[in-house]
């Protein structure tokens, strides 16, 4: 066998091993994240009177999503991908965040967090970025122009396998 042929075969084997490790290793390795709450203003207002109880009008269905106090639970995704934990919205100084608590999902290569409208494909939604870790508490900033009453489904999506690893519905 020629030296060039041996070199090409060796390089192909190394390439196959690297790609195989990239695809399979996340199944055996966990990446844990433990982020604190997003920064919230510590300014306090001294109140001299009892605040009046505010009852929202039944006809006012266009409430600002930041004041809705949305939350939900993660559920398993496609096939045998398992996901659990809670989702809640948090108002912070620099915007609205989605907070995952006690979060855990099957690890995979290339995982992303998406907001989608119910009944649409994940790739048609709004990406909040790469998943920070497959276990632990984490925060994701929601773009200002996103209406969480419309984009009410949070999806953990794997780009490499084009699969939904888990999802959760945001409700009041």
């Amino acid at each position: 066998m020629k030296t060039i042929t041996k070199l090409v075969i060796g390089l192909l084997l190394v390439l196959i091993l690297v790609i195989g490790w990239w695809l399979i290793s996340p199944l055996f390795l966990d990446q844990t994240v433990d982020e604190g709450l997003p920064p919230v203003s510590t300014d306090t207002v001294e109140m001299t009177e009892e605040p009046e109880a505010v009852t929202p009008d039944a006809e006012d269905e266009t409430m600002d999503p930041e004041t809705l106090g949305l939350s939900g639970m993660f559920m398993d995704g496609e096939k045998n991908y398992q996901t659990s934990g809670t989702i809640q919205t948090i108002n912070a100084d620099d915007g609205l965040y989605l907070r995952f608590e006690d979060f855990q999902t099957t690890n995979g290569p290339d995982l992303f967090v998406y907001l989608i409208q119910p009944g649409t494909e994940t790739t048609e939604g709004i990406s909040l970025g790469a998943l920070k870790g497959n276990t632990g508490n984490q925060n994701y900033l929601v773009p200002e122009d996103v209406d969480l009453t419309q984009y009410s489904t949070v999806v953990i999506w794997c780009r490499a396998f084009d699969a939904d690893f888990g999802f959760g519905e945001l409700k009041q």
Side-chain angles (χ1 to χ4, degrees):
M1 209 182 246
K2 291 185 177 180
T3 306
I4 298 252
T5 306
K6 289 180 183 178
L7 184 61
V8 169
I9 291 172
L11 287 174
L12 284 175
L13 286 174
V14 168
L15 183 63
I16 290 169
L17 288 173
V18 168
I19 291 172
W21 177 253
W22 180 75
L23 290 172
I24 294 173
S25 68
L27 297 175
F28 307 108
L29 305 174
D30 285 332
Q31 184 172 356
T32 302
V33 175
D34 191 17
E35 290 185 321
L37 291 171
V40 178
S41 179
T42 57
D43 295 340
T44 58
V45 177
E46 188 175 314
M47 300 187 70
T48 57
E49 301 178 12
E50 285 291 315
E52 293 181 27
V54 177
T55 56
D57 295 337
E59 298 173 10
D60 185 16
E61 295 180 13
T62 60
M63 292 178 67
D64 182 9
E66 294 182 4
T67 62
L68 291 178
L70 300 171
S71 63
M73 300 282 298
F74 275 107
M75 295 175 269
D76 295 342
E78 301 174 17
K79 303 177 185 172
N80 59 350
Y81 303 122
Q82 297 177 350
T83 302
S84 63
T86 61
I87 317 161
Q88 63 181 336
T89 56
I90 304 263
N91 276 322
D93 292 342
D94 57 346
L96 181 69
Y97 283 85
L98 286 182
R99 176 150 175 92
F100 300 174
E101 289 190 341
D102 300 321
F103 177 75
Q104 190 166 13
T105 189
T106 303
N107 203 359
D110 233 9
L111 295 178
F112 289 85
V113 178
Y114 271 81
L115 285 172
I116 66 168
Q117 294 177 330
T120 61
E121 293 292 319
T122 303
T123 54
E124 296 173 8
I126 298 166
S127 176
L128 299 183
L131 186 70
K132 297 174 183 176
N134 69 308
T135 61
N137 303 327
Q138 41 203 292
N139 306 310
Y140 295 90
L141 183 62
V142 177
E144 289 182 20
D145 59 342
V146 174
D147 180 3
L148 290 180
T149 59
Q150 298 294 314
Y151 290 87
S152 60
T153 304
V154 180
V155 178
I156 308 303
W157 180 68
C158 179
R159 182 169 55 188
F161 297 137
D162 189 19
D164 294 340
F165 275 40
F167 65 93
E169 294 291 328
L170 291 171
K171 297 179 182 174
Q172 192 170 9

